[in-house]
Amino acid sequence: MKQTPSDLEQITATTLGHYNSVAEDFREGTRDHDVSQNINALLRHIQGTAPFTVLDFGCGPGRDLQTFTRMGHIAVGLDGSQEFARMAREDSGCEVLQQDFLKLDLPAERFDGIFANAVLFHVPLQELPRVLKQLHGALKPGGVLFSSNPRGDNQEGWNGPRYGSYHDLEAWQGLLTAAGFVELEHYYRPAGLPREQQPWLASVWRKA
């Protein structure tokens, strides 16, 4: 069933309202999460000479912006949550854009890499092809997109106050390929566990 503009506004407002209301607890609860496997997966596929310009798409409170900066890269954050964007600016000192994912205004061909960690699943399926094309356009030629999402059986809907769309590998590959990306690798997280205990699907893609 097609979602109307008012449906999409409600999805955005409710999901962002939740994150704004729990921003401080979220920052503390995720401060020590180890996503080095994901950061390394993005960086090792970027071609050229560092430092790289990286967009942390859905940067949250800015944890990974700080990591990219410590590694010597130029990190730019983007988040829809007003509270997360404020925290990310304060904690990282990086440029942070506050933009609704469904109303993006991204610079053309600015970024060597885009790090979309635990975020694109919040985009409703009917809007995802457009958003992926916008990310594609923001990458330099040959640029790299990393994404990690909770995997699922291609269903979407509300999980408490947050909206999510949960894809399996085949569906995700189809969406990214249609948006102009070529797959470089994929893996499941956390590493070293049986597949049924790996809820996260991570994948890395090059702008064709």
Side-chain angles (χ1 to χ4, degrees), residues 86-164:
R86 177 186 63 78
M87 289 176 171
R89 289 188 194 105
E90 292 176 358
D91 288 357
S92 72
C94 294
E95 176 188 0
V96 177
L97 310 171
Q98 186 195 341
Q99 294 186 14
D100 176 347
F101 296 163
L102 303 187
K103 299 175 183 175
L104 293 173
D105 181 17
L106 297 174
E109 297 189 355
R110 177 177 177 186
F111 302 104
D112 298 291
I114 296 176
F115 187 65
N117 188 65
V119 62
L120 284 171
F121 74 99
H122 284 314
V123 178
L125 176 60
Q126 77 176 38
E127 303 300 307
L128 191 55
R130 176 176 61 83
V131 172
L132 291 173
K133 284 189 168 66
Q134 290 173 309
L135 296 180
H136 185 277
L139 283 168
K140 296 176 183 177
V144 177
L145 169 68
F146 170 89
S147 81
S148 177
N149 293 304
R151 60 192 180 93
D153 54 1
N154 305 311
Q155 301 292 317
E156 62 183 313
W158 292 98
N159 178 13
R162 303 187 304 167
Y163 193 88

Side-chain angles (χ1 to χ4, degrees), residues 176-188:
L176 273 288
T177 301
F181 290 98
V182 175
E183 185 177 351
L184 298 170
E185 66 170 303
H186 70 266
Y187 54 90
Y188 295 92

Side-chain angles (χ1 to χ4, degrees), residues 19 29 46 74 77 90 127 140 152 196-197:
Y19 280 120
I46 299 178
I74 302 156
E90 292 176 358
E127 303 300 307
K140 296 176 183 177
E196 63 271 14
Q197 296 175 37

Side-chain angles (χ1 to χ4, degrees), residues 187-204:
Y187 54 90
Y188 295 92
R189 277 175 54 85
L193 294 176
R195 181 60 47 80
E196 63 271 14
Q197 296 175 37
Q198 293 177 309
W200 293 90
L201 169 62
S203 56
V204 193

